[in-house]
């Protein structure tokens, strides 16, 4: 089975003027997006109060809600994909790797599932009451991220980790098997 890995390293950014930020990096080329708007629900959240499992579930639900609204099949969550996505988010949060897609090929191989295609979206944000929605909304405004979200994938994994200053890192891996 031929493996196709959609991969590229170009950062897409959403910069908010109030000091809260959300940045995402697709695995495909995208253009930077700038916005002066800030969510009215912005609130600084203490790091110890952040439930990463709930954020992972919320990202999964947001992505599948979007796919359903476009008459695309829902993605199935896979624990091996979740694990690799979570490790990558933890490594970015701890500064072990820079924000982006370094090691993407190794991550998808470590999942251990033969696949036809793979993709990855990463994001970080800080200071939002709904960090999952913020990450997904920034991905939906970015052509590269949107291509992954709408892609012909059937499995996904989502991993969230919290870094210094309550910065929330999100990784979503997509597989077509």
């Amino acid at each position: 089975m031929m493996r196709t890995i959609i991969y590229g390293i170009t950062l897409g950014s959403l910069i908010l003027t109030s000091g809260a930020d959300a940045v995402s990096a697709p695995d495909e080329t995208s253009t930077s997006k700038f916005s002066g708007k800030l969510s009215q629900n912005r609130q600084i959240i203490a790091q110890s109060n952040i439930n990463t499992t709930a954020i992972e579930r919320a990202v999964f639900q947001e992505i599948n809600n979007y796919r359903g609204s476009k008459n695309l099949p829902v993605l199935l969550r896979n624990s091996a994909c979740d694990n690799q996505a979570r490790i990558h988010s933890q490594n970015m949060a701890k500064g072990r790797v820079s924000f982006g897609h370094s090691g993407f090929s190794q991550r998808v191989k470590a999942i251990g599932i033969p696949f036809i295609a793979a993709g990855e979206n990463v994001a970080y944000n800080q200071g939002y009451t709904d960090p999952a929605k913020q990450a997904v909304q920034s991905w939906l405004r970015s052509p590269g991220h949107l291509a992954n979200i709408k892609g012909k994938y059937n499995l996904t994994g989502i991993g969230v980790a919290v870094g210094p200053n309550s910065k929330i890192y999100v990784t979503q891996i997509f597989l077509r098997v």
Side-chain angles (χ1 to χ4, degrees):
M1 186 177 308
M2 179 141 203
R3 292 185 189 190
T4 305
I5 299 176
I6 302 169
Y7 189 72
I9 303 176
T10 300
L11 297 179
S13 299
L14 169 65
I15 300 173
L16 303 173
T17 59
S18 71
D21 61 351
V23 178
S24 52
D27 70 335
E28 296 181 17
T29 303
S30 72
T31 57
S32 294
K33 299 279 186 179
F34 299 95
S35 172
K37 295 181 181 178
L38 176 65
S39 167
Q40 297 300 319
N41 296 330
R42 185 181 170 277
Q43 172 184 338
I44 302 301
I45 303 168
Q47 184 172 348
S48 62
N49 295 333
I50 297 172
N51 183 337
T52 57
T53 302
I55 296 169
E56 290 171 0
R57 280 192 306 263
V59 168
F60 178 68
Q61 189 64 48
E62 290 273 338
I63 294 296
N64 272 336
N65 286 346
Y66 177 82
R67 286 177 63 91
S69 76
K70 301 299 180 190
N71 294 316
L72 297 168
V74 296
L75 299 170
L76 300 176
R77 208 157 162 200
N78 176 274
S79 63
C81 292
D82 282 344
N83 187 51
Q84 288 304 309
R86 195 171 294 120
I87 289 168
H88 185 54
S89 288
Q90 289 168 349
N91 286 338
M92 289 187 294
K94 292 177 181 175
R96 292 182 187 142
V97 299
S98 61
F99 175 75
H101 300 285
S102 298
F104 174 69
S105 296
Q106 292 83 2
R107 273 189 296 288
V108 294
K109 286 179 188 173
I111 291 169
I113 299 171
F115 61 90
I116 298 165
E120 177 180 74
N121 285 350
V122 300
Y124 73 80
N125 64 57
Q126 180 178 29
Y128 292 93
T129 56
D130 192 343
K133 186 172 201 141
Q134 182 62 37
V136 172
Q137 290 300 314
S138 69
W139 287 340
L140 293 175
R141 290 188 295 267
S142 166
H145 294 98
L146 184 58
N148 282 338
I149 292 167
K150 292 169 66 175
K152 294 182 180 182
Y153 300 109
N154 54 352
L155 295 181
T156 193
I158 300 157
V160 172
V162 181
N165 300 315
S166 299
K167 191 177 285 187
I168 298 169
Y169 291 82
V170 182
T171 302
Q172 182 170 18
I173 296 173
F174 301 87
L175 288 182
R176 179 175 34 181
V177 295

